[in-house]
Amino acid sequence: AEDVIGNAIKVGNLLPKQCVTQTLAIGSRRRDGGEILHSDFNLAEKQIRYFIEEEMAVTVEDILARRTRFLFLDAKAAMAMAPDVARTMAAITGKDEAWVKAQIESFEQLAKQYAG
């Protein structure tokens, strides 16, 4: 993002300004109080609920690959998030522990193909 802004300033012949976000802390909680599931990615229960209720996500893969693209950005981090995502999805949709286990196993099998 810094490079984009720097280039925009040059190309647009704009006056540079002091960065206002440079000292913002990247925390492990969202402003709305939802817990973040992984320190490298901003994914909270509220977003998972949105993906399920509004975008018809029904699997962990739907969320970690299709909705957020986290699988493609960092497969190892996505695998680390999969159990929490599965449990959160199960709590929202009323699924049981067998569903959670199957979702984790299925996603890990897929994610191993992307992990380096």
Side-chain angles (χ1 to χ4, degrees):
E2 185 178 353
D3 289 341
V4 170
I5 298 300
N7 285 331
I9 289 170
K10 288 178 189 175
V11 171
N13 198 23
L14 304 171
L15 294 174
K17 289 186 174 184
Q18 182 68 26
C19 178
V20 297
T21 60
Q22 190 168 14
T23 59
L24 284 178
I26 300 174
S28 61
R29 293 185 61 79
R30 293 171 49 90
R31 275 186 259 135
D32 64 6
E35 288 294 323
I36 300 298
L37 301 179
H38 192 276
S39 60
D40 293 342
F41 296 101
N42 188 14
L43 181 63
E45 180 183 338
K46 184 176 181 179
Q47 292 164 298
I48 293 172
R49 180 175 297 280
Y50 176 84
F51 293 140
I52 292 169
E53 294 174 354
E54 303 297 328
E55 296 188 1
M56 308 307 178
V58 294
T59 66
V60 170
E61 181 183 350
D62 282 341
I63 291 177
L64 293 178
R66 296 183 187 98
R67 300 317 188 279
T68 63
R69 315 296 285 169
F70 293 158
L71 172 62
F72 311 116
L73 297 171
D74 187 338
K76 290 180 183 177
M79 281 193 283
M81 282 189 281
D84 288 333
V85 171
R87 285 186 196 93
T88 301
M89 291 181 76
I92 293 168
T93 61
K95 302 290 186 189
D96 62 12
E97 189 59 34
W99 182 89
V100 170
K101 184 178 177 184
Q103 284 296 302
I104 294 167
E105 290 174 1
S106 175
F107 184 77
E108 285 179 351
Q109 190 174 31
L110 172 67
K112 285 177 183 175
Q113 297 174 32
Y114 294 91

